[in-house]
Amino acid sequence: MKAGHLVFLAVAAGSGIAAVAAAADGDPNARAASPIYGVTIPEGYRQWDLIAPAQEGEPLNELRAVLGNTIAVNAYREGKLPFPDGTILTKLAWKHVQSPEFEPASIPGAATTVQIMVKDTKKYPATGGWGFGRFVDGKPVDAAQHETCFACHEARVKDHDFVFTRFAP
Amino acid sequence: MKAGHLVFLAVAAGSGIAAVAAAADGDPNARAASPIYGVTIPEGYRQWDLIAPAQEGEPLNELRAVLGNTIAVNAYREGKLPFPDGTILTKLAWKHVQSPEFEPASIPGAATTVQIMVKDTKKYPATGGWGFGRFVDGKPVDAAQHETCFACHEARVKDHDFVFTRFAP
């Protein structure tokens, strides 16, 4: 990334600000924010620790991996619930394809989505303290899709602070 | 890990020594080395970058994730083949179980094996420069199982420096 195209990312547990894109006006390289929540893809997420892989069946047919920032990983390791402000979880998803080299194995194909959960209890009081972002090719999907995030998490994993993924040892 | 029970792990690309356990005689906390190759489980591997997840069908029925040390990740990102000495890849495997919370999803169950590949061309000239270690509950499996590692990698992925896993973007 060129210096002139910096996306400023504030990850500050103390301030409760988890991920904010302060992009320059009209900067074509600025990372777009999700509708409703204003969540952006965090810098450096691909170097974060693995929380767990998963597989998603039809119709999506994907392999997935959830990565977490340091605040997230520490919370998992300490069994801390709810997750503290500043927690960010990033789920990477790929098409799930047959390995051409080993019959019993299947592996990641093309990347499909990157999905983000950001904990900020001040910013997101109506959705359990979580902001959501779902991105395809780096661009956020529409508001209608984002409206479905919290309803599903609330219905199914309210007792785990609205987070499906557990830490895989 | 207590100071008195240190396992010394040398990760030195320059020396070509990738992972050596210099355990004190009889230390019950020393990490055991694999037969044939003398590979040990590297310190801190659970914090390494994700290379890719995978799924393995019957009879093993597992979800897996390969993590790599910095040398490994840099080689993948630069498309460098063969992998340089000092590369270490760690594959974590878990039983592949149904999510109790979301029908289309399946997730990691109990941990099954941890498998290591260490690149050291001086130490492992007869096996493509790779040493192998397969561990269950932290203990290496027997020599017979380790004898199968290279034959399969050689037969199937010789053109990718004997490594199955590709980097998932």
Side-chain angles (χ1 to χ4, degrees):
Chain A
M1 190 164 54
K2 293 173 187 171
H5 293 156
L6 277 179
V7 174
F8 295 94
L9 186 75
V11 178
S15 72
I17 297 168
V20 177
D25 287 346
D27 181 342
N29 288 348
R31 295 190 175 208
S34 65
I36 304 175
Y37 300 103
V39 166
T40 56
I41 296 177
E43 281 293 310
Y45 72 89
R46 191 61 183 78
Q47 283 77 52
W48 291 355
D49 284 14
L50 173 70
I51 307 299
Q55 189 247 332
E56 176 108 0
E58 299 294 345
L60 288 176
N61 192 28
E62 291 180 343
L63 278 176
R64 297 170 162 202
V66 171
L67 310 181
N69 69 353
T70 303
I71 297 172
V73 171
N74 288 344
Y76 272 111
R77 289 192 175 277
E78 296 163 10
K80 189 186 292 180
L81 284 180
F83 289 92
D85 278 7
T87 293
I88 311 179
L89 299 171
T90 300
K91 179 165 65 184
L92 292 75
W94 304 271
K95 293 305 289 183
H96 184 183
V97 303
Q98 172 64 41
S99 165
E101 295 159 338
F102 191 60
E103 294 72 19
S106 48
I107 59 174
T112 56
T113 60
V114 171
Q115 299 184 62
I116 317 287
M117 288 180 70
V118 173
K119 190 70 178 281
D120 185 336
T121 49
K122 292 198 180 76
K123 191 169 180 181
Y124 306 115
T127 49
W130 292 100
F132 296 84
R134 185 170 192 268
F135 299 85
V136 174
D137 290 333
K139 296 179 184 63
V141 300
D142 64 16
Q145 286 193 52
H146 281 86
E147 279 164 1
T148 68
C149 300
F150 182 66
C152 180
H153 284 250
E154 184 181 34
R156 294 172 181 269
V157 282
K158 189 175 183 177
D159 291 346
H160 192 245
D161 194 25
F162 310 102
V163 173
F164 281 96
T165 303
R166 270 67 168 185
F167 191 86
Chain B
M1 189 164 54
K2 294 174 187 171
H5 294 156
L6 276 180
V7 174
F8 294 95
L9 187 76
V11 179
S15 72
I17 297 168
V20 176
D25 287 345
D27 181 342
N29 288 350
R31 295 192 175 205
S34 65
I36 303 174
Y37 299 103
V39 165
T40 55
I41 298 177
E43 282 292 311
Y45 73 89
R46 191 61 184 77
Q47 282 78 52
W48 290 356
D49 285 15
L50 174 70
I51 306 299
Q55 188 246 331
E56 176 108 359
E58 297 295 343
L60 287 176
N61 192 28
E62 292 181 342
L63 279 175
R64 297 170 162 203
V66 171
L67 310 181
N69 68 353
T70 302
I71 297 172
V73 172
N74 289 344
Y76 272 111
R77 289 193 175 277
E78 296 163 10
K80 187 186 295 180
L81 282 181
F83 289 93
D85 278 7
T87 294
I88 311 180
L89 300 171
T90 300
K91 179 165 66 183
L92 291 75
W94 305 270
K95 294 305 289 183
H96 184 183
V97 303
Q98 172 64 41
S99 166
E101 296 159 338
F102 191 61
E103 292 73 18
S106 47
I107 60 174
T112 56
T113 60
V114 171
Q115 299 183 62
I116 317 288
M117 287 180 70
V118 173
K119 190 69 176 281
D120 185 335
T121 50
K122 290 198 182 76
K123 190 170 180 180
Y124 307 116
T127 49
W130 291 102
F132 297 85
R134 186 169 193 268
F135 299 84
V136 174
D137 290 333
K139 297 179 183 62
V141 299
D142 63 17
Q145 285 193 53
H146 281 86
E147 279 164 2
T148 68
C149 299
F150 183 65
C152 180
H153 285 251
E154 184 181 33
R156 295 172 180 270
V157 283
K158 188 174 183 176
D159 290 347
H160 192 246
D161 194 25
F162 310 101
V163 173
F164 282 96
T165 303
R166 270 67 168 183
F167 192 86

